[in-house]
Amino acid sequence: MRIAFCVIATGKYGRFVGPLWESAQRFFLAGHDLRLVLFSDAPPPVRCDWVAIAHRPWPGPTLYRYHTLLAAQGRLQPCDYVFYCDADMRFVAPVGEEVLGQRVAVLHPGFCGKPACEFTYERRPESRAYIPPGLGTHYYAGGFQGGRTDDYLAAAQAMRQAIDDDLRRDLVAIWHDESHWNRYCLDRPPTVVLPPEYCCPESWPMPGRKLLALDKNHAEIRSP
Ligand code: GAL
Ligand code: MN
């Protein structure tokens, strides 16, 4: 299978690209035709399909991720599957075909096993990401997601529209794109739900961890 591995890394996030891609080549879908599609504001440190984009202050890069991906959809369409991965992540164990599906989401390690009333869904009815109390059974992490190319791009289009609708009314959902991903997954449930081992904080000693969300100094890295 041809797999697009999409990473957005502008500003200080550029430092993560080399180590992430090295780990992906070692552990992610070995035996498949894996291509890095890198969206960045600096020349790539590794061989890849590079899409030059401008840096935006945080949370711009994450909030506009679907806009960014869709602007290059012509490069993604020839692939069978598209995965998006945050830049500040690292594979530490093999990840195989269990991740291949139409729509693929990961359970957020902070909310797995917790009651839905504790989920940090967007709770303002004005937002297109709104999920009313009583609805929703899972809270998904935004850091790793994907699916069959057509399905994932359709999801990206729907979320781009919802985010734009919010912005037109001066609204940004509580967890940005992640809130919209959770709303989308409520409407169109993922066909593959991965356990939190696929987005595990580096500092959590979870057995069987496969993909780490790296510990970092948020204030330092998100400053312009
Ligand atoms: C945090 C995580 C954020 C967001 C939030 C949702 O643990 O760092 O990126 O996912 O949970 O409540
Ligand atoms: Mn992250």
Side-chain angles (χ1 to χ4, degrees), residues 63-64 67 126 128 157-172:
L63 179 64
Y64 287 100
H67 299 68
E126 300 77 38
R128 292 268 320 264
Q157 257 155 27
M159 289 186 279
R160 176 178 63 178
Q161 168 111 54
I163 289 165
D164 281 341
D165 281 356
D166 273 8
L167 287 170
R168 270 192 285 277
R169 287 170 296 111
D170 269 332
L171 278 168
V172 172

Side-chain angles (χ1 to χ4, degrees), residues 108 111 120 139 175 178:
H108 192 298
F111 301 96
T120 50
Y139 188 84
W175 285 105
E178 186 174 273

Side-chain angles (χ1 to χ4, degrees), residues 8-211:
I8 300 174
T10 60
K12 294 176 184 169
Y13 282 77
R15 63 175 80 150
F16 295 116
V17 173
L20 170 61
W21 180 233
E22 211 170 281
S23 75
Q25 285 178 295
R26 176 153 175 227
F27 289 124
F28 187 55
L29 287 167
H32 290 274
D33 175 6
L34 187 66
R35 296 154 185 223
L36 172 63
V37 184
L38 175 67
F39 301 81
S40 73
D41 58 347
V46 293
R47 231 166 52 99
C48 66
D49 192 356
W50 181 36
V51 183
I53 61 165
H55 179 61
R56 301 177 198 252
W58 197 83
T62 193
L63 179 64
Y64 287 100
R65 65 167 64 174
Y66 302 114
H67 299 68
T68 301
L69 298 176
L70 288 166
Q73 59 176 304
R75 306 204 197 190
L76 305 178
Q77 256 138 7
C79 294
D80 300 293
Y81 290 87
V82 173
F83 286 88
Y84 164 86
C85 185
D86 273 1
D88 53 334
M89 306 277 277
R90 186 89 41 92
F91 290 92
V92 291
V95 171
E97 294 181 0
E98 75 277 10
V99 301
L100 298 181
Q102 280 182 280
R103 293 181 300 280
V104 183
V106 182
L107 294 176
H108 192 298
F111 301 96
C112 189
K114 294 218 171 128
C117 60
E118 289 180 25
F119 294 172
T120 50
Y121 290 151
E122 173 57 59
R123 298 299 193 185
R124 290 169 299 171
E126 300 77 38
S127 171
R128 292 268 320 264
Y130 174 57
I131 297 181
L135 275 190
T137 50
H138 299 84
Y139 188 84
Y140 300 105
F144 181 66
Q145 54 186 226
R148 267 266 171 200
T149 301
D150 289 349
D151 297 276
Y152 186 67
L153 291 178
Q157 257 155 27
M159 289 186 279
R160 176 178 63 178
Q161 168 111 54
I163 289 165
D164 281 341
D165 281 356
D166 273 8
L167 287 170
R168 270 192 285 277
R169 287 170 296 111
D170 269 332
L171 278 168
V172 172
I174 177 166
W175 285 105
H176 323 108
D177 50 284
E178 186 174 273
S179 308
H180 288 276
W181 177 233
N182 274 280
R183 176 69 230 191
Y184 187 82
C185 288
L186 182 64
D187 298 328
R188 307 218 67 188
T191 60
V192 174
V193 175
L194 298 169
E197 285 81 356
Y198 291 80
C199 192
C200 176
E202 185 181 9
S203 54
W204 290 21
M206 190 186 278
R209 308 186 307 171
K210 295 173 190 298
L211 178 55

